[in-house]
Amino acid sequence: MAKTRLVKGGVAFFVLALFLLPLLASLAFAFQSGFSAEGWAALWRHPQLWPSLWLSLATGVAGTVLALIAALLIVASLFETRFWQNLSVAMGAMLAVPHVALAVALSFLIMPAGLIARIIGLFLQWQTPPQWVTTHDPFGIALTLALVLKETPFIIWVLAGLLSREDVKLNFANQRSAAFGLGHGSGSVWLRIFIPQLFGNLLWPLVIVFVYGATVVDMSLAIGPTQPPTLATIIWADINSEQVAHNARGAAGTIFISFSLITVLGVAWALTKTLKPLWRALLTEGPSTWKVPTMTGQIKHSSFIGIYALLLVLLVVLSLAKSWPFPQLWPETSFHSWGQISHQSGAVVTSLVLAFTASGTALILLVAWFETMPHHFDRPLLWASLALLGLPSLFVGLGQYQMFLYLGLTGTGLGLFLAHLLPVMAYMMIVLAQGYRAYDLRYMVTAGSLNASLLSNLLRIKWPMLKAQIWAAFAVGFAVSVVQYIPAQLVAAGRFSTLPMEVVTLTSGANRSLLAAFSLLLTVPPLLVYGAAALMGRSRWRHT
Amino acid sequence: MSLILENISLTIAGHALLKPMSLSVDPGEVVTIMGPSGSGKSSLLSFIAGDAPQPLLGQGKVLLDRTDITGLRPEQRCIGRLFQDDLLFPHMTVGENLLFATPRGPRVEREAIMRTALKRAELEGFENRAPHTLSGGQRARVSLMRALLAKPKAMLLDEPFNKLDAALCSTIRDYTFMHLKARQVPTILVTHDRADAPSGGRIFEISLSGELISV
Amino acid sequence: MLTRRSALRFGAVTALSPLVSNFAFAADWAAVEAEAYGQEVFFNAWAGSDAINSYIAWAGDEVSKRHRVKLTHVKISDTAEVVKRVRDEVKAGKTNGSVDLVWINGANFKTMKSEKLLFGPFAETLPNFALVDVKGKPTTTQDFTEATGGMESPWGMAQFTFFADGEKVPKPPRSMVELAAFAKANPGRVTYPAPPDFHGVTFLKQALVETTNDASIFARPIDKANFDTASKNWLVFLDEIRPTLWREGRQYPKSQTEITQMVADGELLIGLTFNPNEPANLVAAGILPKTTVAWQYEKGTIGNSHFVAIPANARAKAGAQFVANFLLSPEAQAKKNDLKVWGDPTVLDMAKLKPEEARLFAATAVPGSVSLPGPAILEPDASFVPLIESTWLAHYAEG
């Protein structure tokens, strides 16, 4: 008994000391700067405040809803087909592509001087690019498109992870047979049986997708509207400014956008409550032979893979392009960008070591937490994680940096490690919590009743059953760590250099070619880890 | 070998779920406890097995073979359990599921034991099959065999026949009771369906006030 | 005229500054040099250019060879980061700061100076400062009209410069009026970055300077009322040019680099930069065609200097001064001036150099180097910047 208490105390201590307390302290430091009257007054005076807020929220909502629909269609039409096994591998690969890389490549595809225009121009004999408004359009359509492209694989990946769990798969297969027997078509089964059950697990991922879409900066700069821009980019510029007055406006803006996001989420919640009777009515309407539009789903799935492949090829070509004026279809190539990159091996090693240690530590801490703490203790960790992910990273990063300064951790390896651990653990918490907690504990009871010790129970029953989620969480943590920039940059204080630091500084002035090359370099390690995770987490049974 | 419950009471958040009760189950006997859902019959099983969830508080003693096991961890109690679902481990083959429960020893012997068990379950040659490829009745039989392989000193059955269709239900029920009787395992069965109880066995009911009443 | 007035003002400033005897000067410097030996200097410098990074690496090799000073280039994407970092460190009472030397100018300098985040004055005690062309290049001591007061040491020169493919733009527009005519003839092919981007603000400043009758206003602080009067023609000009701009002036690119990329792609015809040699560098890198031409306006374009400064809480102040002095040496300045290395114009006065030193600076025209130069115009007073930004935003905020 005393030993258990000691273990519990230890786990709680480490999770609090390494995660929750630094996170809350960072937020406190950050928010303290947001309570200046001048900052708020300046924010209200900003002529672009309302239109840009509208743009941010609209692109966030549209991106989330469209990505959800696309993801559900694809999952429903591929569930338990021969494509299913490889789906999470494909989606993991897509997840590994950094947001900004996707935006750069997409923008080169659709912009007036881009690939599509060049191909059309070939037939129409264009010598100068057309004056299309395809990127940086005032309505944020291009930005929404980029968000849908980036977030659909994430939602599919979450769903596939869940539906690949043996117990869930079995359950669903049984339920489906039952529903078929009652005269329901596959579409009806998804709508009335699977989606309602899955929705609880999709809630947090959807919140992340929405919050991310509404606050994204790098993508918005690359492809989003400019006049007015999205609110996040205005705040970003303010927080980046050397002037304290602008910083205060930016801090006020951050609080403002956070509350706006909470309001939207509140409205969404209220809507689901109001629409519940309608939903119930739909659920209990009785059998309908409506089928999942399998063809569209499969076409969508293939076109997703096709677009990603095209964008990756474009990135490769862009990384080799020296100059590529309109209307040439093929650029003048050189390995100059890759030559520059070859000097960054030190940064690559630092980044990899950080990624492995941070995601490994986070995984151990989280699993220890889930094993020792009751379910309802997760709440504060989840909320803190969401807060961390939902706020601009510069804002939180500055707060964290100020706290590390007081603790004397800036410029130290420990400080750098913690700066990576926080976001890594926050993402992993959200990815892992639901799946881990949803585990049917009767399996453990059963194994216990078969005389298995706790350790053997965990090693041989529970963790193998949860391996897909555990590996996936590790891969997510790894990917998050590899692209970690702002907090790390501040805390490293120039004493350490990681891959993204090199990327951002080199690309702050240089050309698209270098950006493309670095984006590819940033894509490779997470790609390998996602691939490995998908293989490790693969079900033992090839088909059902 | 008998299972003895001494002065056991259960409370949940200050509310008495089960008033103090005592019960002795003889070797090979199946005692049935009935009650509507929420009456605390599953909680009683959890308390006996030693894995009662947090808000549940229990008092009293559980004796197995005259040894007090109340302080032991669940996996040290040698009490087997069966649930509504068969809970075969989905990542293991049928054979591995059985081996998981077979006590340690030379590999060849253990595999022989496993095969014997499969034979008893009328599933010869099924050891390399994935659990989800079996029918409901086949899975229920594997599940029982798995529980018995661990050589339980007592068994707790939590509505194990509930999810089986009627035709299958009586077959599996007779099959289960036969094997439990053959091994002289004291067993408690909780159910809300009187038909589940073995004929001639003792039947109790948990009343609304939380008392255990002989029926 | 503007240039002369500021030069006069500068004369008054130097006359007032205390005279330092040569002896004390030399002794002090010897002490600094002695302290600098073996120190590690963390130089926080924008690292968006391969050429610049290689140059800094070369400088690091040199100071290490000469005086065992270890120069570490901390790569920065935005100098404002450094300002914030030093501010936070000072606020937290951290005396052994993480920054020893920072590449800086303009608003960042003004902020650090006014918040007392800088060490100094030190610039004028550097032996090589005597070679700086403070008269001919007044921006070496006037950073965006803010007197440097020796709190930063000049490093290089910058002047607002335009560039284009000479085949597509055979006759470059050499004033804002000519640019407007060019845009009218080539609708949708010219634009500028939206403020608060630094290049966008400079474009607007340039337009303001060219559309205002009384140039004397730029030397003094200005208030909103006076700005509104002075900027009437400016707004007329901006309204006129707007519908002929890229996307009819409803959307603007966010940065100068974006415009450069669009010029390279062929979507825009004219690019702009603060580094006169950037077009030549881009030609050398193969990003712009060899037919690229660069030019400044006939009556001049806005020019300024960039500097290095030492934070108040720097650890290796002596080492930082040693590096700052090295960066001012004829050898280092000549190397920096070389188009094959970086191509950043020197702050030194050729007349003050030995003939063999001056010869190092001889430049040959390369594709993309400035073929039509114009004089440098001083930056308007810093008080103009927020007014330019807010007025522009109020007129063109919603596309």
Side-chain angles (χ1 to χ4, degrees):
Chain A
M1 236 22 206
K3 214 172 103 190
T4 333
R5 205 170 296 153
L6 196 69
V7 170
K8 281 191 180 184
V11 171
F13 170 79
F14 276 110
V15 171
L16 292 184
L18 293 178
F19 181 64
L20 197 58
L21 290 179
L23 209 159
L24 293 178
S26 306
L27 293 179
F29 267 100
F31 271 106
Q32 151 212 320
S33 61
F35 292 108
S36 95
E38 292 84 13
W40 282 96
L43 181 71
W44 298 135
R45 277 199 308 271
H46 200 297
Q48 295 177 321
L49 176 67
W50 298 106
S52 64
L53 173 71
W54 165 246
L55 266 175
S56 282
L57 298 182
T59 47
V61 169
T64 312
V65 171
L66 293 175
L68 175 65
I69 293 172
L72 283 173
L73 261 178
I74 291 175
V75 168
S77 49
L78 297 184
F79 183 57
E80 305 225 293
T81 66
R82 66 202 157 89
F83 303 106
W84 184 250
Q85 279 283 332
N86 298 320
L87 186 65
S88 18
V89 183
M91 295 303 138
M94 293 182 192
L95 279 183
V97 180
H99 283 81
V100 68
L102 185 93
V104 167
L106 178 67
S107 144
F108 188 76
L109 186 67
I110 63 174
M111 70 186 199
L115 196 62
I116 292 176
R118 286 171 202 234
I119 292 170
I120 298 176
L122 193 66
F123 298 104
L124 300 179
Q125 307 285 311
W126 286 345
Q127 283 313 304
T128 47
Q131 303 212 356
W132 292 349
V133 190
T134 40
T135 53
H136 302 296
D137 63 286
F139 307 107
I141 296 170
L143 177 60
T144 307
L145 181 65
L147 283 171
V148 172
L149 265 180
K150 185 68 191 127
E151 303 302 357
T152 306
F154 174 69
I155 300 175
I156 294 180
W157 182 78
V158 170
L159 283 170
L162 194 74
L163 290 173
S164 298
R165 232 171 62 191
E166 305 290 352
D167 50 333
V168 177
K169 200 153 68 178
L170 185 70
N171 249 328
F172 272 37
N174 289 342
Q175 292 173 16
R176 189 172 53 175
S177 317
F180 280 167
L182 299 171
H184 284 268
S186 59
S188 183
V189 170
W190 273 92
L191 184 68
R192 298 198 168 82
I193 299 180
F194 291 176
I195 293 176
Q197 292 183 68
L198 292 168
F199 201 72
N201 296 66
L202 270 183
L203 205 58
W204 289 122
L206 284 180
V207 170
I208 296 181
V209 167
F210 166 65
V211 167
Y212 187 92
T215 59
V216 66
V217 172
D218 53 0
M219 265 187 149
S220 180
L221 286 175
I223 204 166
T226 62
Q227 234 23 62
T230 56
L231 186 55
T233 57
I234 292 181
I235 294 170
W236 165 258
D238 271 350
I239 293 180
N240 260 317
S241 167
E242 79 291 347
Q243 288 176 44
V244 181
H246 284 177
N247 296 166
R249 184 172 68 180
T254 307
I255 296 176
F256 176 66
I257 200 171
S258 307
F259 277 105
S260 310
L261 296 182
I262 292 173
T263 310
V264 171
L265 291 174
V267 169
W269 180 80
L271 261 179
T272 57
K273 288 282 150 202
T274 347
L275 295 179
K276 206 155 194 176
L278 270 178
W279 177 243
R280 288 273 144 216
L282 184 72
L283 284 188
T284 51
E285 220 174 35
S288 124
T289 51
W290 179 57
K291 279 207 178 76
V292 169
T294 316
M295 271 306 278
T296 25
Q298 276 169 4
I299 290 168
K300 255 197 152 139
H301 170 63
S302 327
S303 50
F304 253 91
I305 293 181
I307 289 175
Y308 265 81
L310 176 66
L311 293 181
L312 279 179
V313 170
L314 258 183
L315 275 181
V316 173
V317 178
L318 280 173
S319 77
L320 295 172
K322 223 159 91 179
S323 80
W324 199 356
F326 195 90
Q328 289 175 22
L329 271 182
W330 189 253
E332 196 182 320
T333 57
S334 91
F335 284 96
H336 183 76
S337 298
W338 289 103
Q340 264 179 277
I341 283 177
S342 61
H343 305 306
Q344 316 298 339
S345 55
V348 172
V349 171
T350 312
S351 278
L352 291 183
V353 168
L354 276 168
F356 276 113
T357 50
S359 39
T361 309
L363 187 62
I364 292 169
L365 284 177
L366 285 175
V367 168
W369 172 271
F370 292 140
E371 287 302 334
T372 53
M373 298 294 155
H375 196 158
H376 58 275
F377 278 25
D378 290 359
R379 273 289 125 114
L381 290 196
L382 273 172
W383 280 109
S385 302
L386 277 175
L388 179 71
L389 306 187
L391 294 166
S393 48
L394 184 68
F395 183 70
V396 185
L398 275 173
Q400 178 186 304
Y401 168 67
Q402 282 160 7
M403 177 190 61
F404 279 17
L405 256 181
Y406 281 103
L407 297 175
L409 283 173
T410 53
T412 66
L414 178 65
L416 189 65
F417 170 72
L418 284 178
H420 282 80
L421 183 66
L422 285 188
V424 165
M425 207 160 147
Y427 266 101
M428 287 172 68
M429 176 76 199
I430 288 168
V431 172
L432 197 55
Q434 242 151 1
Y436 207 100
R437 291 298 193 189
Y439 181 75
D440 188 343
L441 284 172
R442 293 178 309 165
Y443 282 108
M444 280 192 90
V445 171
T446 304
S449 76
L450 301 172
N451 309 332
S453 69
L454 181 63
L455 188 68
S456 144
N457 202 331
L458 289 174
L459 286 177
R460 294 168 63 195
I461 305 295
K462 186 171 188 181
W463 291 341
M465 281 175 75
L466 288 171
K467 67 180 175 176
Q469 276 102 325
I470 290 174
W471 280 109
F474 180 82
V476 169
F478 187 92
V480 167
S481 176
V482 166
V483 297
Q484 213 35 234
Y485 170 59
I486 297 148
Q489 156 86 1
L490 286 165
V491 169
R495 301 298 186 263
F496 296 93
S497 181
T498 66
L499 200 47
M501 293 183 203
E502 297 288 338
V503 176
V504 175
T505 50
L506 267 171
T507 50
S508 66
N511 47 66
R512 193 165 54 202
S513 160
L514 199 59
L515 183 59
F518 263 117
S519 301
L520 285 170
L521 188 62
L522 273 180
T523 308
V524 172
L527 195 63
L528 294 178
V529 174
Y530 270 113
L535 283 179
M536 304 290 282
R538 225 175 158 121
S539 160
R540 181 173 174 184
W541 318 115
R542 302 291 301 182
H543 43 79
T544 48
Chain B
M1 207 171 354
S2 57
L3 172 67
I4 296 164
L5 311 180
E6 263 182 33
N7 273 324
I8 289 181
S9 64
L10 297 174
T11 51
I12 187 157
H15 157 78
L17 200 60
L18 185 67
K19 295 205 172 131
M21 53 78 80
S22 296
L23 181 68
S24 171
V25 187
D26 293 332
E29 184 189 8
V30 177
V31 170
T32 306
I33 296 179
M34 296 189 36
S37 57
S39 61
K41 51 192 195 309
S42 290
S43 302
L44 175 64
L45 295 194
S46 291
F47 178 77
I48 299 170
D51 59 12
Q54 262 302 309
L56 190 72
L57 278 176
Q59 274 179 334
K61 273 189 196 166
V62 181
L63 298 144
L64 245 185
D65 228 4
R66 269 170 249 121
T67 320
D68 185 357
I69 59 162
T70 322
L72 294 181
R73 286 207 304 276
E75 71 267 21
Q76 296 168 329
R77 295 190 179 196
C78 295
I79 294 182
R81 295 181 81 176
L82 288 178
F83 295 93
Q84 280 180 18
D85 298 288
D86 52 75
L87 297 174
L88 294 183
F89 304 128
H91 61 300
M92 293 179 172
T93 61
V94 170
E96 284 165 348
N97 263 286
L98 293 174
L99 282 172
F100 184 81
T102 315
R104 305 218 159 196
R107 182 92 202 164
V108 191
E109 271 177 38
R110 297 179 69 239
E111 287 189 354
I113 294 173
M114 180 263 283
R115 278 200 200 90
T116 318
L118 270 179
K119 209 182 210 165
R120 281 200 193 124
E122 293 152 47
L123 290 169
E124 253 183 303
F126 271 61
E127 61 258 45
N128 289 326
R129 294 274 292 271
H132 65 262
T133 61
L134 270 59
S135 73
Q138 289 172 327
R139 282 205 301 267
R141 297 205 297 271
V142 176
S143 182
L144 174 69
M145 278 307 148
R146 184 177 69 174
L148 293 176
L149 277 179
K151 302 215 165 113
K153 293 182 183 158
M155 276 297 279
L156 306 174
L157 312 183
D158 194 347
E159 309 205 23
F161 317 121
N162 210 21
K163 281 195 177 169
L164 300 170
D165 55 79
L168 205 56
C169 186
S170 64
T171 324
I172 294 290
R173 194 162 51 211
D174 295 346
Y175 179 84
T176 305
F177 293 147
M178 178 189 85
H179 279 281
L180 289 171
K181 185 144 196 123
R183 274 155 229 249
Q184 290 290 296
V185 184
T187 301
I188 296 178
L189 165 74
V190 307
T191 181
H192 60 261
D193 184 359
R194 195 168 188 143
D196 279 352
S199 51
R202 285 191 286 163
I203 301 177
F204 295 88
E205 195 171 312
I206 298 177
S207 72
L208 282 174
S209 57
E211 273 162 302
L212 194 71
I213 305 160
S214 175
V215 182
Chain C
M1 204 174 92
L2 194 68
T3 317
R4 197 169 63 227
R5 187 186 312 275
S6 300
L8 284 175
R9 198 161 54 138
F10 172 73
V13 172
T14 35
L16 288 172
S17 67
L19 291 168
V20 188
S21 82
N22 270 336
F23 175 74
F25 189 94
D28 286 352
W29 181 249
V32 169
E33 263 193 333
E35 199 190 331
Y37 188 82
Q39 279 190 331
E40 180 169 15
V41 175
F42 287 94
F43 183 19
N44 287 243
W46 183 79
S49 152
D50 202 20
I52 297 173
N53 297 347
S54 313
Y55 176 76
I56 293 174
W58 169 82
D61 289 344
E62 289 299 311
V63 292
S64 161
K65 245 187 280 174
R66 284 162 202 226
H67 208 55
R68 285 285 173 91
V69 171
K70 186 173 180 236
L71 187 67
T72 304
H73 181 188
V74 177
K75 291 174 177 166
I76 298 299
S77 61
D78 181 353
T79 307
E81 276 168 33
V82 182
V83 179
K84 284 205 280 276
R85 192 155 79 215
V86 172
R87 178 190 290 140
D88 285 339
E89 282 180 4
V90 169
K91 207 164 80 185
K94 190 170 160 134
T95 48
N96 57 338
S98 65
V99 183
D100 296 311
L101 193 65
V102 56
W103 183 14
I104 199 168
N105 77 348
N108 288 316
F109 169 68
K110 194 180 155 147
T111 304
M112 286 193 90
K113 188 184 168 206
S114 65
E115 292 184 29
K116 304 207 175 353
L117 298 175
L118 290 177
F119 161 80
F122 73 95
E124 281 149 41
T125 65
L126 302 176
N128 285 331
F129 187 82
L131 305 175
V132 174
D133 189 4
V134 290
K135 279 221 176 67
K137 296 164 181 164
T139 56
T140 52
T141 52
Q142 296 282 314
D143 187 354
F144 282 65
T145 71
E146 178 82 16
T148 63
M151 304 300 282
E152 56 179 355
S153 164
W155 192 18
M157 299 294 291
Q159 190 178 342
F160 206 46
T161 302
F162 297 85
F163 61 90
D165 183 345
E167 285 187 350
K168 293 179 187 161
V169 185
K171 193 177 168 295
R174 295 199 67 204
S175 69
M176 281 296 171
V177 174
E178 284 183 36
L179 184 75
F182 180 88
K184 206 166 185 176
N186 300 277
R189 301 297 178 192
V190 174
T191 191
Y192 56 91
D197 174 82
F198 169 68
H199 290 86
V201 174
T202 306
F203 182 93
L204 294 172
K205 281 179 189 169
Q206 179 74 31
L208 184 62
V209 168
E210 290 190 29
T211 52
T212 307
N213 302 324
D214 179 12
S216 68
I217 58 165
F218 297 115
R220 295 183 305 270
I222 194 160
D223 59 20
K224 173 107 177 64
N226 282 322
F227 179 83
D228 286 345
T229 325
S231 64
K232 280 208 177 81
N233 290 341
W234 178 66
L235 280 174
V236 170
F237 170 80
L238 290 179
D239 282 339
E240 194 185 294
I241 195 172
R242 184 182 178 202
T244 67
L245 294 177
W246 179 73
R247 303 222 170 143
E248 296 169 342
R250 293 179 190 284
Q251 301 273 299
Y252 293 83
K254 279 185 210 73
S255 69
Q256 175 261 343
T257 41
E258 217 172 291
I259 290 183
T260 305
Q261 187 65 61
M262 285 156 82
V263 171
D265 287 337
E267 193 176 348
L268 291 178
L269 288 175
I270 294 180
L272 39 85
T273 173
F274 234 114
N275 175 358
N277 291 315
E278 192 191 349
N281 283 338
L282 292 172
V283 172
I287 293 165
L288 292 180
K290 291 204 170 58
T291 46
T292 299
V293 289
W295 70 92
Q296 287 147 357
Y297 285 170
E298 231 161 343
K299 290 188 180 155
T301 50
I302 286 172
N304 60 38
S305 301
H306 46 95
F307 302 81
V308 292
I310 304 171
N313 70 339
R315 242 175 3 148
K317 292 190 180 91
Q321 290 177 71
F322 182 86
V323 172
N325 187 52
F326 172 75
L327 294 176
L328 277 178
S329 68
E331 189 192 354
Q333 286 277 316
K335 178 117 183 158
K336 183 165 66 74
N337 186 63
D338 187 347
L339 271 170
K340 287 193 288 296
V341 178
W342 173 359
D344 189 45
T346 182
V347 294
L348 300 186
D349 182 354
M350 290 303 119
K352 290 180 181 166
L353 302 184
K354 295 178 196 131
E356 67 269 24
E357 287 172 343
R359 263 202 300 281
L360 294 172
F361 290 85
T364 44
V366 293
S369 58
V370 177
S371 53
L372 303 165
I377 303 174
L378 277 189
E379 290 273 357
D381 185 86
S383 58
F384 277 82
V385 174
L387 291 167
I388 286 176
E389 286 179 7
S390 59
T391 310
W392 187 89
L393 208 54
H395 280 80
Y396 306 116
E398 286 184 46

